[in-house]
Amino acid sequence: MKLTSKGRYAVMALVDLARFDNINPVSLRDISLRQGISLDYLEQIFSKLKKNEIVKSIRGTQGGYVLNKNPNDIKLTNIFHAVDEKVKTVQCKKESKKGCNGKATKCITHNLWDELEIHINTFFENKSLKDLLTNNKETRV
Amino acid sequence: MKLTSKGRYAVMALVDLARFDNINPVSLRDISLRQGISLDYLEQIFSKLKKNEIVKSIRGTQGGYVLNKNPNDIKLTNIFHAVDEKVKTVQCKKESKKGCNGKATKCITHNLWDELEIHINTFFENKSLKDLLTNNKETRV
DNA sequence: TCTAAACTTGACCATTTTAGTCAGGTATGT
DNA sequence: ACATACCTGACTAAAATGGTCAAGTTTAGA
């Protein structure tokens, strides 16, 4: 299962973006400074977000990024999928004709992981960027 | 987030164990052969399961492992915890006095990960080894 | 009592993934 | 024209993963 900093950064950056892009495009530099994420790394992440049509880019001076959809329509599933965070619990090779063990059977626990995957994905499908904006203001420790 | 082969192997091995330990202790060698998991690796895993009192060991010829509890009382949470599969989504340092960013605030998405963690853990707390035994027989592909 | 089966422990390691950095671009508003 | 900001691909140090290897100890049974 992969769920690492890259996905977290993507979400953080998009929440940041969603807050400011009403006025102007938001530069990665600003996000970098506000969120404490390396600029170079952000560029990699936004390249993928753009390919997946979650953000639009505006080049040149005063350029930056803006959301390409309504925050309510950007689900966490979309974000993670875009940055290759695979919510995949184990590598039971589904596509292969053989089972997970190289035998002709599914491994004992196969169904369990399927269930878990559904459980987690449901969570992400029901959460949108908007939910994060309204419920999760940056709070003091 | 960590949820890898080690946890999967642990669950597979315990399901295997639960099926056979009514009669005799089950040797790791047998589990290794049946489940296709390296014997040496199983030893590492069972060492941890034993420390966490999930299994008992019986040394010597005809020895092996047996469950230390009723399958109904062994929740997946216990198993994952035992083998250090941390169902922890991101490294927001909770214990530190500082926030996740090194700033004095929680990061924007902090609550999200907390929610997710609870969501996943709930799943695992409600699943016992017994559930796997009854619902998930090894099935043909 | 001897021996083989099975547990026990700890060191070691190749590969892959992660979380970036670096070095060069290209586009465009002013 | 030039500074700002996007764009792209190569590279890499460190950590995690998924093991292997070696050298034991314990004990049932012949």
Side-chain angles (χ1 to χ4, degrees), chain A residues 20-76:
Chain A
F20 292 95
D21 81 340
N22 299 326
I23 310 125
N24 286 314
V26 181
S27 72
L28 293 189
R29 189 166 162 281
D30 287 353
I31 296 178
S32 167
L33 290 173
R34 278 195 295 258
Q35 303 299 329
I37 305 168
S38 135
L39 177 59
D40 286 309
Y41 203 31
L42 273 179
E43 281 173 349
Q44 285 182 44
I45 292 169
F46 272 76
S47 159
K48 293 181 177 183
L49 293 175
K50 192 188 166 189
K51 268 182 201 146
N52 284 265
E53 299 178 354
I54 292 171
V55 297
K56 278 186 296 193
S57 69
I58 293 153
R59 304 187 71 154
T61 319
Q62 303 294 65
Y65 286 91
V66 285
L67 292 182
N68 198 16
K69 297 176 183 175
N70 191 297
N72 203 34
D73 295 329
I74 301 178
K75 308 296 183 185
L76 293 198

Side-chain angles (χ1 to χ4, degrees), chain B residues 78-96:
Chain B
N78 308 136
I79 301 174
F80 288 130
H81 183 260
V83 298
D84 293 327
E85 290 275 57
K86 296 198 177 70
V87 178
K88 188 158 191 336
T89 45
V90 267
Q91 302 87 329
C92 294
K93 293 161 203 155
K94 283 180 184 171
E95 68 285 356
S96 118

Side-chain angles (χ1 to χ4, degrees), chain B residues 25-28 43 50 56-66:
Chain B
V26 181
S27 73
L28 293 190
E43 281 171 350
K50 191 188 167 191
K56 278 186 296 193
S57 68
I58 293 153
R59 304 187 71 154
T61 319
Q62 302 294 65
Y65 286 91
V66 285

